């Protein structure tokens, strides 16, 4: 699913889709073209927003939590891959090169945190919550960024009629 040979720690914009295992409807309902999140959906939304606080140099753009998936645009700034002082578990006196932020690390952490909490709330410890992988698209220009933002914003209004993922 990843682009062969692409370094997913490079500066840029990435469109991500994360789907629940077996596309079960867990995060709420779509009514009259609007997404209404339940407690699980609100938690997932907060954790998605927390991604930018967890990873310096990462920012979020448009996103939506749907009943069985999450769409979001993640931006990686170039500064995230430079030398940094005082990273967690590193001496603040010795500059070290932090591990590169990759999209897969970000998604992995998000899925782990949310799956543990969801399983705790549902009383299903250790059960798989998310599909094993995720869909990604490297956003190549401002036109594509605008088109994907529109796709994300309109996703609830298409619920039930369009279960496709933007590919080109």
């Amino acid at each position: 699913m990843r682009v062969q040979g692409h370094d997913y720690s490079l500066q840029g914009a990435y469109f991500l889709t994360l789907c629940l295992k077996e596309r079960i409807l867990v995060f709420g309902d779509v009514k009259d073209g609007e997404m209404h999140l339940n407690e699980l959906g609100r938690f997932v939304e907060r954790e998605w927003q927390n991604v930018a606080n967890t990873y310096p140099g990462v920012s979020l753009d448009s996103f939506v939590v749907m009943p069985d998936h999450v769409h979001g645009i993640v931006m990686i700034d170039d500064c995230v891959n430079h030398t940094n002082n005082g990273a967690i578990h590193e001496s603040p006196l010795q500059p070290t090169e932090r591990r590169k932020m990759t999209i897969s690390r970000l998604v992995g952490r998000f899925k782990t945190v949310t799956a543990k909490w969801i399983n705790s709330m549902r009383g299903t410890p250790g059960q798989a919550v998310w599909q094993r992988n995720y869909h990604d698209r490297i956003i190549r220009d401002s036109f594509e960024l605008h088109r994907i933002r529109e796709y994300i914003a309109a996703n609830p209004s298409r619920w039930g009629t369009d279960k496709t993922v933007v590919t080109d």
Side-chain angles (χ1 to χ4, degrees):
M1 298 182 112
R2 310 289 79 79
V3 173
Q4 188 82 13
H6 181 74
D7 180 353
Y8 280 87
S9 69
L10 292 176
Q11 178 180 1
Y14 301 87
F15 173 46
L16 305 177
T17 301
L18 292 69
C19 298
L20 287 167
K21 187 163 180 71
E22 299 176 13
R23 300 297 296 256
I24 57 173
L25 308 177
V26 172
F27 298 140
D29 298 308
V30 176
K31 294 177 186 160
D32 299 322
E34 288 188 34
M35 182 61 198
H36 298 274
L37 299 173
N38 59 22
E39 183 179 10
L40 299 178
R42 286 187 298 274
F43 176 79
V44 166
E45 181 179 61
R46 280 191 307 271
E47 281 304 308
W48 184 259
Q49 291 169 329
N50 194 39
V51 164
N53 299 327
T54 304
Y55 297 106
V58 171
S59 59
L60 301 177
D61 200 284
S62 299
F63 74 94
V64 65
V65 177
M66 296 295 291
D68 64 352
H69 66 279
V70 175
H71 286 305
I73 298 172
V74 174
M75 309 283 200
I76 296 181
D77 300 326
D78 192 42
C79 68
V80 78
N81 296 318
H82 290 283
T83 300
N84 191 356
N85 287 331
I88 297 173
H89 305 296
E90 296 173 351
S91 167
L93 301 176
Q94 297 178 7
T96 58
E97 178 136 350
R98 294 188 63 186
R99 288 178 31 194
K100 287 184 176 181
M101 163 48 54
T102 63
I103 294 296
S104 62
R105 282 184 51 218
L106 179 149
V107 169
R109 182 193 177 280
F110 173 80
K111 284 182 171 184
T112 298
V113 168
T114 55
K116 284 181 180 179
W117 192 85
I118 290 167
N119 279 332
S120 171
M121 295 302 291
R122 292 170 52 195
T124 55
Q127 189 174 60
V129 172
W130 296 99
Q131 285 183 1
R132 184 175 168 268
N133 223 324
Y134 59 94
H135 301 277
D136 73 81
R137 172 144 183 94
I138 302 162
I139 300 173
R140 291 169 176 81
D141 56 38
S142 60
F143 173 77
E144 187 174 13
L145 177 62
H146 176 74
R147 188 175 59 84
I148 292 171
R149 284 176 176 153
E150 287 178 340
Y151 175 86
I152 290 171
N155 208 246
S157 67
R158 288 191 312 274
W159 181 253
T161 60
D162 178 21
K163 296 246 181 170
T164 60
V165 175
V166 171
T167 57
D168 280 318

